[in-house]
Amino acid sequence: MKKIVSVLSAMLTLAYLCFTASVGAVEFTPPFDVNAKSVYFINLDTKSVIYEKNADLEQMPASLVNIMTAVIVLENCKDPDNITITADKKLYEEFEEYEYQDDLRYGEIWDGDELTVTDYLYAMMLTSSCEASNILAYYFGNQNISAFVEMMNAKAKEIGAEHTVFANPHGLYDSKQVTTAKDMSLITQYALTVPGFEEIATAEEYEVHPKSYVTAHEDPWTWTHSNIIMSAASDFYVYGVKGIKTGNLQLSGRNIVTMGTYDGIKYLLVLLNAPFYDENGNSKYYHIIDACNFMEWVFDNFEYKELLSEGEEIAEVKVENSDGNGYVLVKPEEDVSTLWYNEVDVTSIQKNIKLYDSVQAPVKKNQKLGEIELKLSDEIIANVDLVASSDIDRSFVKFNLSTAKDFFGSKWMKRAVWISLSLLLFYLAICIWAFVYAKRNPKGGLSNKKVVKKLYGNKRK
């Protein structure tokens, strides 16, 4: 029954989002210290950012690279449940010479173990198994791990992870291997669209049933996810949190990518370079602490809120030549809803309204007559068109009177009047001159023809 309620809640949330306006990113400051150097925390439903910190700063991903390794394998394997690969110890040799042995994570896969591709994927995603990473890369890179890494980098570019460079499939230290919190979010969002990935990356544990294996394995042979937040037996347990991947390197701190779902709302969190030790030199899981704090924060304090309603009449615009009311009410073109922090009062949102001074009738319902901008401090939440809430017809009489008024007040009418007056004055001047001339010469007065000759001269030779 609980699952049914969760599914219905998720469906209602998605349906609600489909009929609301998209909004810009509104970031809120969490009420706790953030230990990780880089953070990128988003609402997966809308892709809006809840919080970010140094999201574009290049960091080493550690075994978060396994997310991309899994993507390449799943996209190049038609039947992962039935394709088997025999483990070969030659692929482990590089780990024996690795300088920072504490970084190594094993799935206890021995030389000669015969496992399916699915088995290796679980080993890699749950335990960060270095053996599984190399075995998969070697097999799907056509016996060439470097070729597989090239596929990883090509996919990163395709996804848009512009600041990511992969140097190996397992995530052990390499100075050339870098990513950012934002890039890892993009890569993970893509991975979640790949069939099979989410099921593997969010499993709490996996029991191995190999085709054959050496006798060193205990029975039952199981792998448990390294993200202890999803384990009810853990002190860090948070209900609703799933997978996806953890990664640790002595030289670049602790990392985690994890998902959370509450009330049908999905979140994705990326944390990079959290410290290994506290101020006293004691080992501490700061990436887990940060992830718990973030998930509990949004679960307890965030919900979707309607900031503008499509039916809300906000202002009015003057309508010229209308048949009836001389104004029309305007309303938002669409609803505006967003994930909102309950500690921030929605009344603190600024509503900057820009309206047309006036509009000529006729006016059609939903005709744009202005805009409204929603802002919180300096962050723009949304820009929405304001539209007419009803039709306004034109008055025939008012329109014709207005047209006549406009005509007589137009610049062309003023020019016509000026030219007419100028010509009239010129004509009167000629008449006055002719009258005066005739007065002075009563006997030899000028005929019309002589007047013309006097004014313009005789052009004939």
Side-chain angles (χ1 to χ4, degrees), residues 419-435 448 451 455-456:
I419 292 171
S420 299
L421 288 173
S422 298
L423 291 173
L424 179 60
L425 289 173
F426 182 67
Y427 176 73
L428 289 173
I430 292 174
C431 291
I432 292 169
W433 177 84
F435 176 77
N448 288 340
V451 171
L455 288 171
Y456 300 105

Side-chain angles (χ1 to χ4, degrees), residues 66-118:
N66 293 156
I67 295 171
M68 181 61 84
T69 304
V71 166
I72 301 302
V73 170
L74 287 168
E75 290 190 334
N76 288 274
C77 184
K78 294 181 179 179
D79 192 6
D81 291 338
N82 293 305
I83 294 177
T84 59
I85 307 172
T86 301
D88 188 340
K89 65 180 181 181
K90 72 179 181 181
L91 297 175
Y92 306 173
E93 292 172 357
E94 66 171 289
F95 306 136
E96 296 173 4
E97 301 175 1
Y98 182 67
E99 183 176 358
Y100 309 101
Q101 288 291 306
D102 287 342
D103 291 344
L104 293 167
R105 296 291 181 272
Y106 291 111
E108 303 302 326
I109 300 170
W110 307 108
D111 181 47
D113 286 344
E114 187 180 0
L115 306 175
T116 66
V117 170
T118 298

Side-chain angles (χ1 to χ4, degrees), residues 280-297:
N280 298 317
N282 300 315
S283 180
K284 204 159 185 178
Y285 297 131
Y286 280 115
H287 62 321
I288 298 294
I289 293 170
D290 279 355
C292 287
N293 286 337
F294 273 112
M295 289 301 181
E296 289 177 339
W297 178 49

Side-chain angles (χ1 to χ4, degrees), residues 68-358:
M68 181 61 84
T69 304
V71 166
I72 301 302
V73 170
L74 287 168
E75 290 190 334
N76 288 274
C77 184
K78 294 181 179 179
D79 192 6
D81 291 338
N82 293 305
I83 294 177
T84 59
I85 307 172
T86 301
D88 188 340
K89 65 180 181 181
K90 72 179 181 181
L91 297 175
Y92 306 173
E93 292 172 357
E94 66 171 289
F95 306 136
E96 296 173 4
E97 301 175 1
Y98 182 67
E99 183 176 358
Y100 309 101
Q101 288 291 306
D102 287 342
D103 291 344
L104 293 167
R105 296 291 181 272
Y106 291 111
E108 303 302 326
I109 300 170
W110 307 108
D111 181 47
D113 286 344
E114 187 180 0
L115 306 175
T116 66
V117 170
T118 298
D119 292 333
Y120 286 116
L121 286 169
Y122 273 102
M124 182 178 69
M125 293 302 297
L126 272 59
T127 73
S128 301
S129 165
C130 295
E131 322 98 302
S133 301
N134 266 10
I135 289 168
L136 289 170
Y138 184 76
Y139 184 89
F140 288 97
N142 291 321
Q143 289 72 55
N144 187 330
I145 292 177
S146 295
F148 186 89
V149 173
E150 288 178 9
M151 295 164 68
M152 295 170 68
N153 284 313
K155 180 60 70 172
K157 287 184 179 179
E158 178 188 323
I159 292 169
E162 298 178 356
H163 303 287
T164 296
V165 177
F166 294 112
N168 59 56
H170 43 64
L172 295 179
Y173 175 80
D174 189 305
S175 60
K176 297 186 291 295
Q177 186 154 257
V178 293
T179 191
T180 67
K182 189 178 292 185
D183 275 7
M184 280 311 308
S185 178
L186 283 174
I187 291 167
T188 305
Q189 288 175 66
Y190 178 85
L192 290 169
T193 68
V194 177
F197 176 85
E198 184 173 352
E199 180 182 355
I200 294 170
T202 60
E204 187 175 344
E205 69 174 24
Y206 178 78
E207 186 170 336
V208 193
H209 298 286
K211 301 294 181 182
S212 65
Y213 59 94
V214 297
T215 56
H217 299 292
E218 296 182 1
D219 195 25
W221 185 11
T222 58
W223 294 312
T224 302
H225 206 296
S226 57
N227 182 2
I228 56 177
I229 303 173
M230 58 194 295
S231 172
S234 166
D235 292 337
F236 297 100
Y237 175 67
V238 178
Y239 179 78
V241 174
K242 297 181 179 180
I244 291 175
K245 195 75 195 72
T246 65
N248 305 280
L249 287 179
Q250 290 293 319
L251 295 182
S252 64
R254 300 184 187 275
N255 307 330
I256 187 170
V257 175
T258 190
M259 291 172 62
T261 305
Y262 187 79
D263 275 353
I265 306 170
K266 292 183 178 180
Y267 304 92
L268 181 66
L269 174 65
V270 179
L271 298 165
L272 300 179
N273 201 351
F276 262 89
Y277 308 102
D278 63 17
E279 64 276 7
N280 298 317
N282 300 315
S283 180
K284 204 159 185 178
Y285 297 131
Y286 280 115
H287 62 321
I288 298 294
I289 293 170
D290 279 355
C292 287
N293 286 337
F294 273 112
M295 289 301 181
E296 289 177 339
W297 178 49
V298 294
F299 288 177
D300 293 342
N301 297 286
F302 281 73
E303 63 181 352
Y304 279 104
K305 287 193 176 180
E306 187 175 71
L307 307 183
L308 273 182
S309 171
E310 184 183 355
E312 179 184 356
E313 294 175 337
I314 289 184
E316 61 184 46
V317 172
K318 183 180 179 182
V319 181
E320 305 283 356
N321 306 318
S322 65
D323 184 12
N325 290 333
Y327 63 89
V328 63
L329 295 170
V330 297
K331 63 184 184 66
E333 185 178 34
E334 54 192 340
D335 294 331
V336 176
S337 296
T338 189
L339 195 64
W340 196 257
Y341 184 27
N342 289 333
E343 294 296 315
V344 178
D345 194 338
V346 292
T347 59
S348 61
I349 296 173
Q350 304 166 39
K351 296 181 178 180
N352 301 322
I353 299 172
K354 296 179 182 179
L355 295 174
Y356 295 176
D357 292 333
S358 64

